[in-house]
Amino acid sequence: MRNLAVLEPVNIVIFAVTVFVILRAPLNTVNVTGFVLVAVHLLIGGAYWAIKVRQLRARLPRPPLIGAFGWLRRLCEAGLVAGFVILAVSVARGAVGPGSLPGILFYLLAVAEYVNYFHWQLSTQTSADITRVLRTRRLHRSHLCLDMRAHRR
């Protein structure tokens, strides 16, 4: 968990450098929108893992600040809707070409991260996760989703 708390924000830098510096993707509306959306989701994911680590280390009954994630979930939903509108308007105006592919992929990754954190665990970090998925043949609720449900006020 500690690794995820650090690696999620580090991925933001890796994505930015890879796409905008190394691959030289244009800083157009589609690319910037997709990147910002995925960066926000990765920051929220890193924050969740950081508070989860703190909870476990300090043997707290609930993750600190878990209530804030309900608000962050709504922020992410609004961001994804706004991002979709921006992408749709860009397509309608003919402003989407091959140079916008990174932004579209970033947008899809942001949607996947939203689902992965707030609903269903899409990623598997441990052999126990993999074994459980193979045994049950279904996705399981995400850790954040379970914590949010367990600690509603």
Side-chain angles (χ1 to χ4, degrees):
M1 281 186 246
R2 220 174 341 153
N3 288 342
L4 291 171
V6 172
L7 290 177
E8 294 292 56
V10 167
N11 282 331
I12 297 167
V13 176
I14 291 170
F15 288 155
V17 168
T18 301
V19 172
F20 296 114
V21 176
I22 296 171
L23 298 177
R24 297 182 180 184
L27 289 172
N28 61 30
T29 303
V30 173
N31 289 342
V32 172
T33 298
F35 175 75
V36 167
L37 287 171
V38 82
V40 166
H41 283 83
L42 290 171
L43 281 174
I44 290 170
Y48 169 70
W49 290 117
I51 68 166
K52 190 67 179 172
V53 167
R54 181 154 185 254
Q55 176 199 11
L56 296 175
R57 280 191 179 158
R59 298 175 193 229
L60 301 172
R62 58 186 270 166
L65 304 171
I66 191 67
F69 285 86
W71 178 83
L72 291 170
R73 178 181 169 180
R74 288 188 292 280
L75 174 73
C76 288
E77 291 166 350
L80 290 173
V81 169
F84 183 81
V85 169
I86 290 169
L87 293 176
V89 168
S90 296
V91 168
R93 290 185 176 170
V96 175
S100 298
L101 183 60
I104 295 167
L105 294 175
F106 278 141
Y107 179 82
L108 295 174
L109 180 57
V111 171
E113 287 291 350
Y114 169 78
V115 171
N116 185 53
Y117 275 111
F118 291 105
H119 297 284
W120 300 98
Q121 183 179 349
L122 300 178
S123 62
T124 54
Q125 276 78 35
T126 66
S127 59
D129 288 338
I130 295 168
T131 301
R132 185 182 66 211
V133 169
L134 292 173
R135 181 175 37 84
T136 63
R137 294 187 187 134
R138 64 182 183 93
L139 296 175
H140 293 269
R141 287 292 181 180
S142 69
H143 296 282
L144 175 55
C145 177
L146 295 173
D147 273 339
M148 288 173 62
R149 282 184 179 178
H151 303 292
R152 284 186 186 152
R153 289 189 185 192

